[in-house]
Amino acid sequence: MKSSAKIFVLLSGIVAFSLTATAGNNPGWSLVWSDEFNLPDGSSPDPTKWTFDTGGGGWGNNELEYYSSRTNNARIVGGMLIIQANQENYMGSSYTSARLKTQGIWSWQYGRMEARIKIPYGQGMWPAFWMLGTNITSVNWPTCGEVDIMENIGREPTLVHGTIHGPGYSGSDGIGGPCALPGSPAFANDFHIYTVEWTTNEIKWSVDGYQYFSANSGSLPAGTTWVYTQPQFILLNLAVGGSWPGNPDGTTTFPQQMIVDYVRVYAPTNLPETKTNLLSNPGFESANLTNWTAYGNTIPNALLQSIADVDVHNGTNVFKVFGQFSGVTNNSGAYQDVPATAGQALTASGWVFTSSSDQIAGANSAWIEISFHDASSNVLALYRSAPVTPSTPPGLWLDFPVTNQLNPTTFAIIGSATNLVAPAKTSFVRCQLVFDQPATDAGSVYFDDLKLTPAGTTAIPVPVNVARAGTNFNLAFPTYLNLPYQINWKNFLTDPSWSVLTNLSGSGTNQTISVGLQASSSRFFTISRLCN
Ligand SMILES: [Ca+2]
Ligand SMILES: [Ca+2]
C-alpha cells in the first residue's frame, strides 16, 4: 500500500438500551451481528469477527490443552466452524484445541445471543459458548461478569449448564441451572440452539427455545452486585480436562469436534425511552411517596394507592389525589425539586387518569406543573400541562405533555413550548402534581410515570469494526432497525467541532460506511446512535 494516510478511529462504548418495567412481554428481536461461518472450506475463522486466546498452562482450571490459532484446531468446513481438540504433543502440552473470542472487535450490552452447536463427547471434554465483560482488562475476573450461555462436561452427556459468575458468586458458587432434553439423549447426538436473552436486569437461558433458567439481582447472594450492565464479548472454546470435567481417560477418543453452525446477536426491535429521567421515584414504586413532598389534604385524601385498589399505569402504585372539601378554594398534590442551571432545556410529561367511578367533577381540575426557581425559591418561569377536567375521558391513562407557558403571577397562558428552558438565576426545577378544588366538587385524579428529561438529541456511541479496503477503509457497525445514526469526523482532536459525514437509518443488521483514505492528514471519526 502506497498511501501514507494515518487512520485513527475514536470510538468507545456500545449501543445500550433499556427495557421498561413492563417488558415481560417478549419484544421483537432484530439481528445486529452474526457469523454464519460461510468462508471457504479450510479457512481460518473470519479475523474481522474473531481473535484467538492462545497458550497452555491450565487457564486457571488445570486444563490440559494448548490453545492454538492453527487450522488444525479451528477452521471452516461446510458452513460450520470446527473447533477441534487433538491428542498431540505441542508446545509442552499433550492436547491442542482452540479458544475464539470477539474481544477487542465486537461487544454488546444486552441482547439475545444465540448459537447452533453440536458439542463433542467423552470424558474430559469441556465445550463452552460464553461471554465476559469487556472491562476484564481493568477490573479483572470475576468483577467483569461472566455469562456462560452453554457449558457441558463430558461425564454429564445429558446435561448442559447456564451460569453467571460475578464478584462474590464465582467458580463453584456461580448462579446457574442445568438443562436436560426430553428423554435425556446426549447433547452431542445433534445440533441444538443455545440462547440467552440478556436485558437490563435479567438473563434467561434456553435450549431449542425452551427456557430452563433465569437470574436477576434477586438471585444473587446478599450484598453482592449484579454486574451485567457493561458490554460483554463472546467466546467459543473446547477445553480438554480440568478441575471440573476431570481429565480424559481410556474411554475418550480423539479428535473431538465442537461444530458451530452460527453465532447470532439480536437486539430488541423497538427500543424504549433511553434518556435519563431526572425525577426520582417517578412512578411511585418506592414506599411512602419517597422523594415526593405531599401537601394539602395529604391524609387521607392524597394517597399512594396500590394496584389492589385502583388502576395503575405502570408497576404497582400510583399517586391519587382529590380535594379537601373545605368549602373554599384549596389545592392538594405533591412535588419534588431537582437542581437545574440557567439555559438547561428540559421536556416534561406524565400519565393521568380519572376513574369512571370517581370522575373528576364540577369546577375541579388537575395538572402537571414545571416551575423554575431561583435560590430563594422565587418562581422564574412556569409551565403546565393541559388540565384534567370533567371533559377528560374517564377510564383511560393519558400522556399529558407539559407545554403551556404561564405568567407566574397572573397564571395566564402566554405561550407554548416543548423545550422548557431554565431562565437566568435558576437554582432548581420543581415538578408538581396539582389538584385544584374551588368548592366541594367530587372526583379524583391519578398520576403515574412522570418524566423530566434533558431536551434535544443524545448521541450514544456504537461499537465499530475498522478494516482497510484498498484506498478506502470500512467502518462497520451493528444497527437497530429504523433508528437514526450519525457519522462525524474531524482532522484533529483539538478542532472545536465535529463535521457530519453522513446520517443513515439502521437496517437492523451490520452496516458499513466506506471512507476514502486521506492523502496526508489524520482524521478521526465517531459513530453514534441518535435519540430524542
Ligand atoms: Ca453456518
Ligand atoms: Ca406506578
Side-chain angles (χ1 to χ4, degrees):
M1 294 299 164
K2 290 167 66 177
S3 170
S4 61
K6 286 185 251 174
I7 302 302
F8 299 92
V9 176
L10 178 73
L11 300 155
S12 65
I14 66 107
V15 174
F17 57 88
S18 60
L19 297 176
T20 66
T22 53
N25 53 345
N26 195 18
W29 295 95
S30 176
L31 187 70
V32 292
W33 187 92
S34 80
D35 195 343
E36 305 293 325
F37 303 112
N38 283 336
L39 291 178
D41 285 2
S43 301
S44 283
D46 185 345
T48 70
K49 295 176 179 173
W50 302 98
T51 183
F52 289 91
D53 276 324
T54 58
W59 296 90
N61 301 303
N62 298 311
E63 299 166 28
L64 301 178
E65 80 292 320
Y66 187 97
Y67 285 131
S68 93
S69 59
R70 305 168 303 162
T71 52
N72 310 36
N73 297 115
R75 63 184 175 277
I76 306 299
V77 177
M80 307 279 177
L81 167 68
I82 310 291
I83 299 177
Q84 181 166 314
N86 298 314
Q87 186 171 27
E88 58 175 335
N89 293 317
Y90 184 80
M91 304 291 282
S93 295
S94 301
Y95 303 91
T96 61
S97 187
R99 171 161 146 157
L100 286 71
K101 58 183 184 176
T102 66
Q103 185 178 22
I105 310 176
W106 296 100
S107 61
W108 304 269
Q109 186 173 339
Y110 313 125
R112 190 173 97 196
M113 289 74 183
E114 186 167 280
R116 183 169 182 265
I117 303 173
K118 186 176 183 190
I119 63 170
Y121 64 91
Q123 169 60 33
M125 292 297 108
W126 184 6
F129 167 40
W130 54 303
M131 300 192 291
L132 286 169
T134 57
N135 58 349
I136 191 170
T137 52
S138 54
V139 303
N140 297 322
W141 185 92
T143 300
C144 65
E146 172 180 330
V147 179
D148 298 328
I149 304 169
M150 182 281 297
E151 286 186 290
N152 163 265
I153 53 173
R155 63 182 156 86
E156 296 178 344
T158 63
L159 293 180
V160 293
H161 299 264
T163 313
I164 48 175
H165 300 271
Y169 51 98
S170 64
S172 58
D173 294 324
I175 311 295
C179 176
L181 294 168
S184 293
F187 276 87
N189 288 355
D190 211 338
F191 283 93
H192 296 284
I193 298 172
Y194 302 97
T195 306
V196 287
E197 289 185 2
W198 172 27
T199 53
T200 49
N201 49 17
E202 186 174 39
I203 299 173
K204 301 174 182 176
W205 284 259
S206 61
V207 172
D208 299 334
Y210 167 74
Q211 183 187 319
Y212 66 92
F213 186 68
S214 68
N216 56 43
S217 57
S219 314
L220 304 183
T224 64
T225 305
W226 182 258
V227 292
Y228 312 95
T229 55
Q230 300 281 330
Q232 297 224 336
F233 62 89
I234 288 176
L235 302 97
L236 290 164
N237 73 294
L238 172 52
V240 179
S243 309
W244 187 29
N247 293 339
D249 62 19
T251 67
T252 314
T253 59
F254 287 91
Q256 283 292 324
Q257 295 183 336
M258 174 181 180
I259 307 173
V260 187
D261 182 7
Y262 58 74
V263 178
R264 296 172 183 165
V265 178
Y266 300 81
T269 304
N270 301 309
L271 293 187
E273 184 70 49
T274 54
K275 282 195 304 185
T276 306
N277 194 344
L278 302 179
L279 297 173
S280 301
N281 192 21
F284 308 104
E285 297 305 305
S286 300
N288 304 317
L289 292 174
T290 303
N291 302 108
W292 294 92
T293 301
Y295 65 92
N297 212 349
T298 57
I299 301 174
N301 287 349
L303 288 173
L304 190 63
Q305 293 269 312
S306 118
I307 195 169
D309 301 312
V310 300
D311 199 348
V312 303
H313 179 252
N314 218 338
T316 303
N317 301 321
V318 296
F319 182 69
K320 177 182 178 182
V321 61
F322 49 99
Q324 300 173 38
F325 298 93
S326 59
V328 296
T329 296
N330 62 88
N331 289 152
S332 297
Y335 65 88
Q336 69 171 274
D337 297 338
V338 178
T341 53
Q344 188 176 9
L346 303 172
T347 59
S349 64
W351 291 83
V352 300
F353 180 98
T354 183
S355 165
S356 52
S357 63
D358 187 28
Q359 187 176 357
I360 189 169
N364 289 345
S365 65
W367 60 85
I368 303 164
E369 183 172 292
I370 299 294
S371 50
F372 292 96
H373 298 250
D374 66 15
S376 304
S377 290
N378 299 306
V379 178
L380 303 172
L382 178 65
Y383 299 86
R384 287 178 182 170
S385 69
V388 183
T389 69
S391 61
T392 302
L396 289 177
W397 277 102
L398 300 168
D399 192 6
F400 270 35
V402 179
T403 53
N404 290 328
Q405 185 173 14
L406 283 72
N407 179 310
T409 305
T410 66
F411 304 111
I413 293 178
I414 56 173
S416 176
T418 302
N419 290 351
L420 318 180
V421 180
K425 299 183 181 174
T426 293
S427 173
F428 66 92
V429 58
R430 173 168 292 180
C431 176
Q432 183 161 210
L433 315 173
V434 183
F435 189 100
D436 180 71
Q437 186 187 44
T440 56
D441 290 321
S444 62
V445 170
Y446 310 167
F447 293 93
D448 204 356
D449 293 324
L450 280 301
K451 266 197 309 199
L452 180 64
T453 62
T457 300
T458 303
I460 299 177
V462 301
V464 179
N465 182 45
V466 186
R468 178 82 177 262
T471 57
N472 283 18
F473 67 98
N474 294 329
L475 305 173
F477 52 100
T479 63
Y480 295 104
L481 186 65
N482 296 334
L483 294 186
Y485 291 80
Q486 186 170 84
I487 296 90
N488 291 307
W489 63 271
K490 61 167 68 173
N491 280 339
F492 301 99
L493 284 179
T494 50
D495 289 348
S497 61
W498 295 89
S499 299
V500 177
L501 178 68
T502 189
N503 287 284
L504 58 85
S505 181
S507 63
T509 61
N510 293 321
Q511 290 190 220
T512 301
I513 297 292
S514 189
V515 182
L517 295 171
Q518 301 300 299
S520 61
S521 67
S522 59
R523 184 158 286 185
F524 298 82
F525 293 86
T526 63
I527 299 181
S528 305
R529 178 167 69 79
L530 307 180
C531 48
N532 292 318

